[in-house]
Amino acid sequence: MATPDQDLAPVLDKDGVRLTVDDAIATVTLTNPAKRNAQSPALWRALAEAGRLLPGSVRVVVLRGEGKSFSAGLDRQMFTPEGIPGEPTFTDIARRDDAALDATIAEFQEAFTWWRRNDIVSVAAVQGHAIGAGFQLALACDLRIVADDVQFAMRETSLGIVPDLAGTHPLVGLVGYARALEICVTGRFVGAQESVASGLANLAVAGDELDGAVRDLTAALVAAPRDAVVETKALLSGAAGRSYDEQRSAERAAQARRLRDLAGIGE
């Protein structure tokens, strides 16, 4: 079945990532279903580039994966002694000094960090397996709609490493510390029903209804005035780091900006 973005000329199409733009809605598609959209440094660089290439007209970004799985996590070739051709092996990375090792991981994380920019709302459409890096990529988005066959799992700890692709902060924020710890340390699967009940997913639908549910949500997201959405997202995303009184102050400041803008009064 063709994905909804395949009739559009791609803005980017390389290393397992395709970016298309249809007015206010952009779609980022993982395009290696033969490997269940396994992730590599090249794919991460392409994802980061997709974020940089978004036109200013884009308000909503949909993230999806072709095939039966959203993303089965890291390309297992990264764990072999020879690694992926043209890429450093894990051993090569581990031998770097502290500053270089930190910089390398920070570069990998760039693929996962732009999805929560205040000027866009990101929606992950997730079917089948979303494991490890795949789980963290879904967590990078603001919202998640899942098919009823979804299987989230955080397998890094089971492999002797830790989740380091910016997924731990949103996971704790969504499900709380205790459940997040249990999910990460056990590496167990989290299905559709638990995903919705725990707050990991906004909605679960039958697999053949996933595209329609995403279309309905994106249409609703772009229906609201853009500046109000941007201000509201900034208020909500920063709320956890503010006290009650600080949040009230932030609300007043944001509302003042909106009222002056609507009245055509400059600050």
Side-chain angles (χ1 to χ4, degrees), residues 67-115:
K68 295 182 178 180
S69 294
F70 174 76
S71 174
L74 293 178
D75 188 327
R76 287 305 179 102
Q77 197 169 345
M78 294 176 67
F79 294 95
T80 63
E82 62 274 12
I84 296 174
E87 302 286 357
T89 66
F90 276 165
T91 301
D92 293 333
I93 294 172
R95 286 176 174 154
R96 296 174 180 175
D97 62 32
D98 288 349
L101 182 54
D102 183 79
T104 298
I105 298 172
E107 181 182 356
F108 294 162
Q109 289 176 333
E110 289 179 9
F112 297 77
T113 55
W114 62 266
W115 303 88

Side-chain angles (χ1 to χ4, degrees), residues 171-192:
L171 180 62
V172 172
L174 289 167
V175 306
Y177 162 75
R179 190 184 294 262
L181 177 64
E182 178 254 328
I183 287 171
C184 290
V185 173
T186 66
R188 70 175 178 85
F189 286 117
V190 179

Side-chain angles (χ1 to χ4, degrees), residues 30 33 36-37 65-72 127-130:
L30 307 181
R36 296 194 299 165
N37 298 311
E66 289 184 347
K68 295 182 178 180
S69 294
F70 174 76
S71 174
Q127 80 285 353
H129 291 102

Side-chain angles (χ1 to χ4, degrees), residues 177-243:
Y177 162 75
R179 190 184 294 262
L181 177 64
E182 178 254 328
I183 287 171
C184 290
V185 173
T186 66
R188 70 175 178 85
F189 286 117
V190 179
Q193 183 176 357
E194 183 182 353
S195 296
V196 174
S198 66
L200 273 176
N202 297 81
L203 177 68
V205 297
D208 59 0
E209 297 175 2
L210 185 60
D211 288 344
V214 171
R215 283 194 299 270
D216 290 345
L217 177 58
T218 56
L221 292 171
V222 299
R226 179 170 195 159
D227 289 344
V229 173
V230 171
E231 291 279 12
T232 300
K233 181 175 178 179
L235 273 175
L236 296 175
S237 63
R242 303 187 189 107
S243 68

Side-chain angles (χ1 to χ4, degrees), residues 22 28 40 76 114 116 140 144 165 190 232 243:
D22 185 5
V28 175
S40 66
R76 287 305 179 102
W114 62 266
R116 298 208 174 205
R144 280 151 297 282
L165 297 172
V190 179
T232 300
S243 68

